[in-house]
Amino acid sequence: MGKEKEPVLKIRNLTKKFDLKNGKKLTAVDNVSFELHAGECLGIVGESGCGKSTIAKILTQLEGVTSGNIIYHNRDITHLKGEELRQNRKKLQMIFQDPAESFNPRMKIRDIVSEPLLNFKLMSKREAEVQAKKLLAMVGLTEDFMRRYPHQISGGQKQRVAIARAISLEPEVIICDEATSALDVSIQEQVIRLLKDLQKEKGLSYIFIGHDLAVVRNISHRIIVMYLGRIVEVIDSNKLTTDAVHPYTKALLSSVFSVKSKNDTEIEIIKGEPPSASDMTHGCGFSSRCAKCMDKCLKEKPELKEIATNHFIACHL
Ligand code: SF4
């Protein structure tokens, strides 16, 4: 993982607000900055509504930004349009939770996988078919899948097809948005192993978004923990269970791992739901659920600060 090199992607002060019917604004993503390095898998984890999927849509330009910048290899791609945007999508691909939604049910798997190659006029129909066969083999599917329709294959096989399609254009970055969340645990593990193997083989960079911390940690080198549109902690995955300090990260951890904290013995389980992002104007977004909340937490938003090498936290503690 080449951290010393220039990052592939730099996200700077990204903010996304949505207008609500009641005239209020919902801040789905609030001043988020991070970098993705070549060959890295960066995990983004948090509960539903924390802004992680909005980030995925912004990065693949399915959503616009309210403010902030996306820099890809030193080029600002935030506001690309038309053909420039289309060409850029070759390099930044996305895998969704439910791949079937992006498949045309009347197309055979062969055509679903070869469609991007034909759309970008990269090869003839015959060559694209040969390539589709190779791509399916790379994701562990045999030639007979070429002639099947999406409804004739399982959820795990559909996700393999989605991966084959995503890598067909030889992207540099793949954004996986809850890509394994709908799969059974054993199939989930197989798909993650496949993603890891492809990453090594092709030098891909991933942003792996999920709500299950154990799954995200399994594949990621670094993890961003998000709460209510903001980053609350960034930590190397191999230090997650021992060094995490944010009360929200520790609560997430305690729900999936046996955690022995360095600093205290008791880890609170989070209760209740997050407040609405449209009501959060000041203070720490986690204050209503945090057992360690202080006066200051209700008044001032904690800024993200580096507390150790590659370890950032936004908390007044
Ligand atoms: Fe809890 Fe305060 Fe830290 Fe927020 S800033 S997580 S309320 S201690």
Side-chain angles (χ1 to χ4, degrees):
M1 197 174 61
K3 279 195 179 179
E4 66 290 347
K5 291 189 190 149
E6 190 62 26
V8 178
L9 263 183
K10 286 189 259 185
I11 310 305
R12 293 286 175 258
N13 308 106
L14 203 67
T15 295
K16 176 70 182 177
K17 294 182 192 237
F18 293 101
D19 291 324
L20 299 178
K21 281 186 188 151
N22 60 11
K24 285 186 178 177
K25 295 227 182 247
L26 183 143
T27 306
V29 179
D30 188 2
N31 199 25
V32 162
S33 299
F34 61 86
E35 295 173 347
L36 175 71
H37 298 268
E40 178 182 31
C41 180
L42 177 65
I44 303 183
V45 72
E47 288 167 294
S48 163
C50 72
K52 56 193 191 305
S53 288
T54 305
I55 290 180
K57 288 189 186 133
I58 290 172
L59 294 183
T60 44
Q61 284 147 310
L62 298 172
E63 284 280 2
V65 302
T66 304
S67 59
N69 301 87
I70 307 163
I71 315 290
Y72 175 59
H73 286 300
N74 288 327
R75 179 182 181 218
D76 192 333
I77 60 162
T78 322
H79 302 290
L80 288 187
K81 291 208 165 45
E83 187 55 22
E84 276 195 315
L85 172 59
R86 202 174 86 90
Q87 290 299 331
N88 193 65
R89 285 217 173 111
K90 274 201 277 190
K91 292 289 158 204
L92 272 77
Q93 287 284 306
M94 185 153 169
I95 302 171
F96 299 93
Q97 178 173 1
D98 184 0
E101 277 185 16
S102 58
F103 295 167
N104 181 338
R106 287 186 289 277
M107 280 169 79
K108 289 183 177 164
I109 300 303
R110 170 192 62 206
D111 301 319
I112 288 171
V113 176
S114 58
E115 188 184 37
L117 297 166
L118 298 173
N119 282 348
F120 280 96
K121 299 188 172 49
L122 296 176
M123 49 186 76
S124 69
K125 194 157 191 300
R126 181 74 204 113
E127 287 167 338
E129 258 184 41
V130 174
Q131 186 62 10
K133 195 167 107 182
K134 282 189 200 158
L135 288 161
L136 287 177
M138 271 183 216
V139 298
L141 295 176
T142 51
E143 192 179 345
D144 64 301
F145 281 86
M146 298 270 278
R147 291 176 292 279
R148 296 195 203 175
Y149 288 93
H151 71 272
Q152 294 174 313
I153 64 176
S154 71
Q157 289 161 348
K158 281 192 193 101
Q159 207 51 287
R160 285 174 187 268
V161 172
I163 295 168
R165 187 180 151 102
I167 61 173
S168 67
L169 295 173
E170 310 223 314
E172 193 173 8
V173 177
I174 299 185
I175 296 153
C176 306
D177 185 14
E178 300 277 8
T180 61
S181 304
L183 305 175
D184 291 342
V185 175
S186 63
I187 307 294
Q188 201 171 57
E189 280 170 12
Q190 289 171 20
V191 172
I192 285 184
R193 210 173 310 129
L194 170 65
L195 286 168
K196 282 182 177 174
D197 290 346
L198 287 171
Q199 182 172 44
K200 267 195 215 134
E201 194 182 318
K202 295 181 167 292
L204 294 162
S205 304
Y206 293 143
I207 294 181
F208 192 90
I209 294 169
H211 64 276
D212 185 331
L213 188 54
V215 174
V216 174
R217 189 185 73 144
N218 181 3
I219 187 167
S220 306
H221 299 105
R222 273 189 310 144
I223 294 179
I224 289 177
V225 182
M226 287 192 68
Y227 189 81
L228 227 59
R230 289 174 75 91
I231 294 178
V232 296
E233 187 152 14
V234 184
I235 187 165
D236 287 341
S237 288
N238 57 6
K239 295 188 178 153
L240 180 71
T241 53
T242 51
D243 291 14
V245 279
H246 195 283
Y248 178 59
T249 314
K250 291 212 279 190
L252 283 182
L253 275 166
S254 66
S255 64
V256 278
F257 298 113
S258 168
V259 180
K260 285 201 172 49
S261 171
K262 273 182 184 171
N263 309 318
D264 49 21
T265 50
E266 201 176 316
I267 291 169
E268 291 285 330
I269 305 292
I270 10 175
K271 299 184 187 86
E273 296 292 319
S276 164
S278 62
D279 297 328
M280 282 305 309
T281 49
H282 49 258
C284 169
F286 192 55
S287 57
S288 63
R289 301 167 85 189
C290 179
K292 299 190 171 159
C293 179
M294 310 166 279
D295 271 359
K296 189 181 182 185
C297 308
L298 302 173
K299 294 178 195 141
E300 276 177 43
K301 270 188 192 175
E303 295 301 325
L304 197 65
K305 288 185 188 141
E306 190 163 20
I307 57 163
T309 311
N310 294 329
H311 187 184
F312 297 80
I313 174 176
C315 178
H316 290 310
L317 273 181

